[in-house]
Amino acid sequence: MSATSNELVIDVTIDGEPFPFVTQLNIDAKVNSARSATCLCTSVDALEKVRIGAEVIIKYGKGDLITNKEFVGIIRVINPSIGNFSFVAYDYITELANSEIINFKQGDFQGMDLYMAIAEVANYKNTSISKMTQGSGIILDDTMNFSGYATRKDFIDNCINFMVDITTDDDHPLHSYLPYYYAIKAGKNFEVFQPDHLHNNVKADLTISLDESNIISDGLLANYTSVGMVNSCTVVSSSNRDLSFTYNDEGSIAKYGVMSRKVEYLTSRIDVLEKVGRLVVEQFKNPTKGYRITINNGEWLPLGSIVELRTPALKKVEFLPVVGYKIMINEELSTIIEVGNNALTSDVLITSFRQ
């Protein structure tokens, strides 16, 4: 199906049958979550064609349909009203979130790559894992607790919390951390991916700037927060409580004030305690930043895309991954993207540290 370059297209099928009654569409997506699609229909007669549990397939675009973000999911909510109705569908991550409770046992996954453990658990009902072929090199070990009763998504979330690479090579800044994310980007394909936005030679999928004229009016909202900051870290030996080391970043303390944290690490070496303290402070000594940007012609950007952000408000160019978006189609099409990083916890950071 194709259309003129400026024509808005919403193509919907429900249970395999065409459903040409949707007049407004909102699609919301965030990493590590199910995408949702909210459809408004002005024909009440079409209500009989909609049911809870029905499979809905939604394609959309401005001109040609966007194939890399096709939505496939299950209708979970129906809201009848006078003269119209709406329904909400969620992609097949919802089946992982609502799966039968499983008694996960540590020994069943011990020594397995966390990427492959996720693939095994995500291989469920309608979810496809055909794109899960890579691996991460991060192995499930005794420092990670995965045992207990949980849904499949709970287990996957536990895995993804520990899936962080801390890079020290020549292609990245010192102590760069690169988290993995999961999502269904299109169709039924479950994916685990790792945007490498910190690479010295990173190439952006899209440049966003006032000069490019793709930021709509005042459509950039920045969020700088001190939540989670640490510029003074006291590391205590868990094998000898009398042994500790406090690492301070005086520059960060002078600029933002003292923000301290105590952590524990199993070692009897003071130099290792110092390294752990330095690692925590280097990672958390600055405010975290994120941006919510309303842009033109960004509806094709999938989760994990890397954008180059240039605005007069920023002192430098930033490369950041897309971690969420909202697409709204009514009489016009608008796209809001969220770029930034999910917060890394000090527990995960220390677990990833090797002496």
PDB file of all heavy atoms in Angstrom, residues 2-24:
ATOM      1  N   SER A   2       0.597   2.217  -0.805  1.00  0.00           N
ATOM      2  CA  SER A   2       1.369   3.445  -0.826  1.00  0.00           C
ATOM      3  C   SER A   2       0.419   4.619  -0.942  1.00  0.00           C
ATOM      4  O   SER A   2      -0.754   4.486  -1.254  1.00  0.00           O
ATOM      5  CB  SER A   2       2.361   3.449  -1.995  1.00  0.00           C
ATOM      6  OG  SER A   2       1.669   3.373  -3.223  1.00  0.00           O
ATOM      7  N   ALA A   3       0.951   5.819  -0.682  1.00  0.00           N
ATOM      8  CA  ALA A   3       0.138   7.014  -0.729  1.00  0.00           C
ATOM      9  C   ALA A   3       1.008   8.158  -1.186  1.00  0.00           C
ATOM     10  O   ALA A   3       2.206   8.005  -1.405  1.00  0.00           O
ATOM     11  CB  ALA A   3      -0.458   7.286   0.653  1.00  0.00           C
ATOM     12  N   THR A   4       0.391   9.316  -1.350  1.00  0.00           N
ATOM     13  CA  THR A   4       1.174  10.492  -1.713  1.00  0.00           C
ATOM     14  C   THR A   4       2.086  10.847  -0.558  1.00  0.00           C
ATOM     15  O   THR A   4       1.878  10.431   0.584  1.00  0.00           O
ATOM     16  CB  THR A   4       0.240  11.664  -2.035  1.00  0.00           C
ATOM     17  OG1 THR A   4      -0.533  11.975  -0.865  1.00  0.00           O
ATOM     18  CG2 THR A   4      -0.691  11.303  -3.188  1.00  0.00           C
ATOM     19  N   SER A   5       3.095  11.671  -0.834  1.00  0.00           N
ATOM     20  CA  SER A   5       4.156  11.918   0.139  1.00  0.00           C
ATOM     21  C   SER A   5       3.648  12.555   1.424  1.00  0.00           C
ATOM     22  O   SER A   5       4.258  12.409   2.469  1.00  0.00           O
ATOM     23  CB  SER A   5       5.235  12.800  -0.484  1.00  0.00           C
ATOM     24  OG  SER A   5       4.672  14.039  -0.902  1.00  0.00           O
ATOM     25  N   ASN A   6       2.533  13.284   1.400  1.00  0.00           N
ATOM     26  CA  ASN A   6       2.034  13.965   2.583  1.00  0.00           C
ATOM     27  C   ASN A   6       0.774  13.338   3.168  1.00  0.00           C
ATOM     28  O   ASN A   6       0.224  13.833   4.143  1.00  0.00           O
ATOM     29  CB  ASN A   6       1.749  15.434   2.259  1.00  0.00           C
ATOM     30  CG  ASN A   6       3.019  16.205   1.954  1.00  0.00           C
ATOM     31  OD1 ASN A   6       4.026  16.024   2.635  1.00  0.00           O
ATOM     32  ND2 ASN A   6       2.986  17.033   0.931  1.00  0.00           N
ATOM     33  N   GLU A   7       0.289  12.267   2.571  1.00  0.00           N
ATOM     34  CA  GLU A   7      -0.941  11.649   3.046  1.00  0.00           C
ATOM     35  C   GLU A   7      -0.667  10.755   4.247  1.00  0.00           C
ATOM     36  O   GLU A   7       0.245   9.921   4.219  1.00  0.00           O
ATOM     37  CB  GLU A   7      -1.599  10.834   1.935  1.00  0.00           C
ATOM     38  CG  GLU A   7      -2.935  10.223   2.344  1.00  0.00           C
ATOM     39  CD  GLU A   7      -3.550   9.428   1.205  1.00  0.00           C
ATOM     40  OE1 GLU A   7      -3.031   9.514   0.067  1.00  0.00           O
ATOM     41  OE2 GLU A   7      -4.540   8.712   1.460  1.00  0.00           O
ATOM     42  N   LEU A   8      -1.452  10.908   5.304  1.00  0.00           N
ATOM     43  CA  LEU A   8      -1.308  10.073   6.481  1.00  0.00           C
ATOM     44  C   LEU A   8      -2.044   8.757   6.281  1.00  0.00           C
ATOM     45  O   LEU A   8      -3.162   8.732   5.775  1.00  0.00           O
ATOM     46  CB  LEU A   8      -1.867  10.795   7.706  1.00  0.00           C
ATOM     47  CG  LEU A   8      -1.157  12.099   8.094  1.00  0.00           C
ATOM     48  CD1 LEU A   8      -1.835  12.731   9.302  1.00  0.00           C
ATOM     49  CD2 LEU A   8       0.310  11.861   8.366  1.00  0.00           C
ATOM     50  N   VAL A   9      -1.379   7.673   6.671  1.00  0.00           N
ATOM     51  CA  VAL A   9      -1.923   6.343   6.451  1.00  0.00           C
ATOM     52  C   VAL A   9      -1.993   5.601   7.782  1.00  0.00           C
ATOM     53  O   VAL A   9      -1.024   5.565   8.542  1.00  0.00           O
ATOM     54  CB  VAL A   9      -1.055   5.537   5.466  1.00  0.00           C
ATOM     55  CG1 VAL A   9      -1.664   4.159   5.224  1.00  0.00           C
ATOM     56  CG2 VAL A   9      -0.877   6.284   4.162  1.00  0.00           C
ATOM     57  N   ILE A  10      -3.176   5.015   8.077  1.00  0.00           N
ATOM     58  CA  ILE A  10      -3.331   4.093   9.203  1.00  0.00           C
ATOM     59  C   ILE A  10      -4.001   2.842   8.658  1.00  0.00           C
ATOM     60  O   ILE A  10      -5.144   2.890   8.202  1.00  0.00           O
ATOM     61  CB  ILE A  10      -4.185   4.689  10.332  1.00  0.00           C
ATOM     62  CG1 ILE A  10      -3.612   6.021  10.824  1.00  0.00           C
ATOM     63  CG2 ILE A  10      -4.279   3.698  11.498  1.00  0.00           C
ATOM     64  CD1 ILE A  10      -4.494   6.711  11.860  1.00  0.00           C
ATOM     65  N   ASP A  11      -3.282   1.731   8.667  1.00  0.00           N
ATOM     66  CA  ASP A  11      -3.784   0.472   8.117  1.00  0.00           C
ATOM     67  C   ASP A  11      -3.906  -0.530   9.263  1.00  0.00           C
ATOM     68  O   ASP A  11      -2.899  -0.909   9.869  1.00  0.00           O
ATOM     69  CB  ASP A  11      -2.832  -0.038   7.037  1.00  0.00           C
ATOM     70  CG  ASP A  11      -3.363  -1.289   6.368  1.00  0.00           C
ATOM     71  OD1 ASP A  11      -4.173  -1.159   5.449  1.00  0.00           O
ATOM     72  OD2 ASP A  11      -2.955  -2.394   6.794  1.00  0.00           O
ATOM     73  N   VAL A  12      -5.135  -0.959   9.575  1.00  0.00           N
ATOM     74  CA  VAL A  12      -5.381  -1.805  10.740  1.00  0.00           C
ATOM     75  C   VAL A  12      -6.119  -3.068  10.322  1.00  0.00           C
ATOM     76  O   VAL A  12      -7.066  -3.018   9.523  1.00  0.00           O
ATOM     77  CB  VAL A  12      -6.218  -1.048  11.798  1.00  0.00           C
ATOM     78  CG1 VAL A  12      -6.478  -1.930  13.019  1.00  0.00           C
ATOM     79  CG2 VAL A  12      -5.512   0.245  12.219  1.00  0.00           C
ATOM     80  N   THR A  13      -5.693  -4.198  10.866  1.00  0.00           N
ATOM     81  CA  THR A  13      -6.467  -5.436  10.751  1.00  0.00           C
ATOM     82  C   THR A  13      -6.666  -5.999  12.154  1.00  0.00           C
ATOM     83  O   THR A  13      -5.786  -5.892  13.013  1.00  0.00           O
ATOM     84  CB  THR A  13      -5.771  -6.494   9.875  1.00  0.00           C
ATOM     85  OG1 THR A  13      -4.520  -6.860  10.471  1.00  0.00           O
ATOM     86  CG2 THR A  13      -5.514  -5.957   8.478  1.00  0.00           C
ATOM     87  N   ILE A  14      -7.849  -6.602  12.374  1.00  0.00           N
ATOM     88  CA  ILE A  14      -8.153  -7.241  13.650  1.00  0.00           C
ATOM     89  C   ILE A  14      -8.588  -8.670  13.369  1.00  0.00           C
ATOM     90  O   ILE A  14      -9.505  -8.900  12.581  1.00  0.00           O
ATOM     91  CB  ILE A  14      -9.261  -6.470  14.408  1.00  0.00           C
ATOM     92  CG1 ILE A  14      -8.753  -5.070  14.785  1.00  0.00           C
ATOM     93  CG2 ILE A  14      -9.684  -7.229  15.664  1.00  0.00           C
ATOM     94  CD1 ILE A  14      -9.780  -4.234  15.528  1.00  0.00           C
ATOM     95  N   ASP A  15      -7.903  -9.605  13.985  1.00  0.00           N
ATOM     96  CA  ASP A  15      -8.153 -11.035  13.746  1.00  0.00           C
ATOM     97  C   ASP A  15      -8.126 -11.361  12.255  1.00  0.00           C
ATOM     98  O   ASP A  15      -8.931 -12.149  11.745  1.00  0.00           O
ATOM     99  CB  ASP A  15      -9.490 -11.464  14.357  1.00  0.00           C
ATOM    100  CG  ASP A  15      -9.408 -11.611  15.871  1.00  0.00           C
ATOM    101  OD1 ASP A  15      -8.286 -11.811  16.386  1.00  0.00           O
ATOM    102  OD2 ASP A  15     -10.460 -11.539  16.534  1.00  0.00           O
ATOM    103  N   GLY A  16      -7.216 -10.716  11.542  1.00  0.00           N
ATOM    104  CA  GLY A  16      -7.018 -10.990  10.126  1.00  0.00           C
ATOM    105  C   GLY A  16      -7.967 -10.277   9.190  1.00  0.00           C
ATOM    106  O   GLY A  16      -7.836 -10.401   7.965  1.00  0.00           O
ATOM    107  N   GLU A  17      -8.911  -9.502   9.730  1.00  0.00           N
ATOM    108  CA  GLU A  17      -9.885  -8.804   8.892  1.00  0.00           C
ATOM    109  C   GLU A  17      -9.570  -7.306   8.857  1.00  0.00           C
ATOM    110  O   GLU A  17      -9.235  -6.717   9.886  1.00  0.00           O
ATOM    111  CB  GLU A  17     -11.302  -9.005   9.428  1.00  0.00           C
ATOM    112  CG  GLU A  17     -11.791 -10.443   9.390  1.00  0.00           C
ATOM    113  CD  GLU A  17     -11.922 -10.965   7.970  1.00  0.00           C
ATOM    114  OE1 GLU A  17     -12.286 -10.158   7.071  1.00  0.00           O
ATOM    115  OE2 GLU A  17     -11.680 -12.170   7.757  1.00  0.00           O
ATOM    116  N   PRO A  18      -9.686  -6.662   7.681  1.00  0.00           N
ATOM    117  CA  PRO A  18      -9.448  -5.217   7.602  1.00  0.00           C
ATOM    118  C   PRO A  18     -10.375  -4.464   8.553  1.00  0.00           C
ATOM    119  O   PRO A  18     -11.554  -4.802   8.695  1.00  0.00           O
ATOM    120  CB  PRO A  18      -9.758  -4.880   6.141  1.00  0.00           C
ATOM    121  CG  PRO A  18      -9.584  -6.171   5.406  1.00  0.00           C
ATOM    122  CD  PRO A  18      -9.999  -7.249   6.354  1.00  0.00           C
ATOM    123  N   PHE A  19      -9.831  -3.422   9.179  1.00  0.00           N
ATOM    124  CA  PHE A  19     -10.595  -2.627  10.135  1.00  0.00           C
ATOM    125  C   PHE A  19     -10.356  -1.145   9.816  1.00  0.00           C
ATOM    126  O   PHE A  19      -9.489  -0.499  10.401  1.00  0.00           O
ATOM    127  CB  PHE A  19     -10.151  -2.951  11.571  1.00  0.00           C
ATOM    128  CG  PHE A  19     -11.014  -2.336  12.640  1.00  0.00           C
ATOM    129  CD1 PHE A  19     -12.199  -2.920  13.023  1.00  0.00           C
ATOM    130  CD2 PHE A  19     -10.619  -1.151  13.259  1.00  0.00           C
ATOM    131  CE1 PHE A  19     -12.993  -2.357  14.012  1.00  0.00           C
ATOM    132  CE2 PHE A  19     -11.403  -0.578  14.241  1.00  0.00           C
ATOM    133  CZ  PHE A  19     -12.589  -1.176  14.628  1.00  0.00           C
ATOM    134  N   PRO A  20     -11.116  -0.577   8.859  1.00  0.00           N
ATOM    135  CA  PRO A  20     -10.859   0.783   8.362  1.00  0.00           C
ATOM    136  C   PRO A  20     -11.572   1.877   9.155  1.00  0.00           C
ATOM    137  O   PRO A  20     -11.999   2.884   8.585  1.00  0.00           O
ATOM    138  CB  PRO A  20     -11.389   0.710   6.936  1.00  0.00           C
ATOM    139  CG  PRO A  20     -12.541  -0.234   7.029  1.00  0.00           C
ATOM    140  CD  PRO A  20     -12.163  -1.260   8.073  1.00  0.00           C
ATOM    141  N   PHE A  21     -11.699   1.693  10.465  1.00  0.00           N
ATOM    142  CA  PHE A  21     -12.506   2.615  11.266  1.00  0.00           C
ATOM    143  C   PHE A  21     -11.670   3.467  12.224  1.00  0.00           C
ATOM    144  O   PHE A  21     -12.224   4.246  12.987  1.00  0.00           O
ATOM    145  CB  PHE A  21     -13.551   1.830  12.068  1.00  0.00           C
ATOM    146  CG  PHE A  21     -14.399   0.922  11.225  1.00  0.00           C
ATOM    147  CD1 PHE A  21     -14.159  -0.448  11.194  1.00  0.00           C
ATOM    148  CD2 PHE A  21     -15.418   1.439  10.432  1.00  0.00           C
ATOM    149  CE1 PHE A  21     -14.927  -1.290  10.409  1.00  0.00           C
ATOM    150  CE2 PHE A  21     -16.194   0.605   9.647  1.00  0.00           C
ATOM    151  CZ  PHE A  21     -15.946  -0.765   9.628  1.00  0.00           C
ATOM    152  N   VAL A  22     -10.350   3.298  12.214  1.00  0.00           N
ATOM    153  CA  VAL A  22      -9.493   4.046  13.144  1.00  0.00           C
ATOM    154  C   VAL A  22      -9.218   5.431  12.579  1.00  0.00           C
ATOM    155  O   VAL A  22      -8.727   5.579  11.467  1.00  0.00           O
ATOM    156  CB  VAL A  22      -8.164   3.294  13.395  1.00  0.00           C
ATOM    157  CG1 VAL A  22      -7.232   4.131  14.258  1.00  0.00           C
ATOM    158  CG2 VAL A  22      -8.445   1.940  14.042  1.00  0.00           C
ATOM    159  N   THR A  23      -9.536   6.455  13.362  1.00  0.00           N
ATOM    160  CA  THR A  23      -9.333   7.844  12.921  1.00  0.00           C
ATOM    161  C   THR A  23      -8.194   8.535  13.658  1.00  0.00           C
ATOM    162  O   THR A  23      -7.663   9.534  13.177  1.00  0.00           O
ATOM    163  CB  THR A  23     -10.615   8.663  13.128  1.00  0.00           C
ATOM    164  OG1 THR A  23     -11.003   8.594  14.507  1.00  0.00           O
ATOM    165  CG2 THR A  23     -11.741   8.114  12.252  1.00  0.00           C
ATOM    166  N   GLN A  24      -7.817   8.018  14.811  1.00  0.00           N
ATOM    167  CA  GLN A  24      -6.681   8.558  15.556  1.00  0.00           C
ATOM    168  C   GLN A  24      -5.868   7.405  16.119  1.00  0.00           C
ATOM    169  O   GLN A  24      -6.441   6.384  16.530  1.00  0.00           O
ATOM    170  CB  GLN A  24      -7.130   9.468  16.698  1.00  0.00           C
ATOM    171  CG  GLN A  24      -7.832  10.729  16.268  1.00  0.00           C
ATOM    172  CD  GLN A  24      -8.188  11.612  17.454  1.00  0.00           C
ATOM    173  OE1 GLN A  24      -7.485  11.659  18.452  1.00  0.00           O
ATOM    174  NE2 GLN A  24      -9.313  12.314  17.347  1.00  0.00           N
TER     175      GLN A  24
END
